[in-house]
């Protein structure tokens, strides 16, 4: 069942099994606020068990582009189009959030973004990336990194 992410009253719904549930919920709420303010889009998530195709799509891009395999179980996903760009999100039990931004027209931006919930260590599979810090009222300190997608998917 879809969950409309509330960025005013942050909830851990769907993320309870994560040891960083509160911080991960803040990351998710931060994304919801961004999409509401920038695109007037309502950010919704659903259990990863109900959307395995999204988890598989994100995993496929990571594997093909950088040989990355995420070891943590996926908890929730989100998949939508805004402004000619497909956005796919996966929120993992470890406190990691991954998004695949894929411009639908040739020449548009295509990238994979990683965000780490406050308190979690950088996962071994992402150790090669440098993470910048961003302060968020909803999530504390978010560490993020990204890479540009070169292939066609």
């Amino acid at each position: 069942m879809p969950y409309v992410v509330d960025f005013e009253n942050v909830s851990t719904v769907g993320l309870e099994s994560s040891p960083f549930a509160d911080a991960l919920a803040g990351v998710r709420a931060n994304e919801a606020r961004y999409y509401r303010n920038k695109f007037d889009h309502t950010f919704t998530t659903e259990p990863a068990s109900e959307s395995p195709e999204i988890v598989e799509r994100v995993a496929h891009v990571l594997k093909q582009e950088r040989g990355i395999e995420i070891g943590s179980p996926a908890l929730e996903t989100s998949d939508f189009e805004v402004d000619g760009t497909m956005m796919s999100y996966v929120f993992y039990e470890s406190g990691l959030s991954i998004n695949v931004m894929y411009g639908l027209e040739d020449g548009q931006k295509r990238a994979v973004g990683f965000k780490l919930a406050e308190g979690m260590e950088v996962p071994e599979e992402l150790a090669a990336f440098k993470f910048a810090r961003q302060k968020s009222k909803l999530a504390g300190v978010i560490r993020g990194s990204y890479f540009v997608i070169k292939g066609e998917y």
Side-chain angles (χ1 to χ4, degrees):
M1 180 158 153
Y3 168 70
V4 175
V5 180
D6 184 347
F7 54 85
E8 292 179 6
N9 300 300
V10 179
S11 170
T12 60
V13 168
L15 306 174
E16 297 90 351
S17 66
S18 172
F20 304 101
D22 289 335
L24 186 57
V27 170
R28 182 178 66 181
N30 192 63
E31 297 298 316
R33 181 177 60 198
Y34 171 79
Y35 286 103
R36 168 62 73 201
N37 292 341
K38 178 126 177 136
F39 301 104
D40 197 30
H41 171 78
T42 301
F43 193 87
T44 61
T45 60
E46 63 183 344
S49 61
E50 295 178 15
S51 51
E53 70 285 355
I54 299 168
V55 176
E56 290 167 14
R57 182 180 330 125
V58 169
H60 178 73
V61 171
L62 291 172
K63 180 77 170 165
Q64 293 299 309
E65 291 286 322
R66 296 290 178 100
I68 297 171
E69 294 183 49
I70 302 301
S72 179
L75 297 178
E76 284 198 320
T77 65
S78 185
D79 195 51
F80 55 93
E81 181 183 337
V82 290
D83 210 26
T85 301
M86 279 301 304
M87 299 297 303
S88 299
Y89 277 82
V90 180
F91 296 92
Y92 295 89
E93 190 173 68
S94 65
L96 173 66
S97 167
I98 297 179
N99 72 73
V100 173
M101 176 179 81
Y102 197 84
L104 298 174
E105 299 290 323
D106 286 340
Q108 284 187 312
K109 292 180 182 178
R110 296 174 177 168
V112 173
F114 306 105
K115 290 189 178 170
L116 308 177
E118 188 169 29
M120 76 171 284
E121 296 294 323
V122 175
E124 185 178 312
E125 57 268 32
L126 303 180
F129 292 90
K130 292 185 180 184
F131 287 84
R133 295 180 185 277
Q134 168 192 354
K135 286 190 177 184
S136 165
K137 289 181 181 178
L138 296 170
V141 176
I142 300 170
R143 290 167 293 151
S145 191
Y146 74 97
F147 68 83
V148 174
I149 296 172
K150 301 205 185 303
E152 300 278 328
Y153 300 95

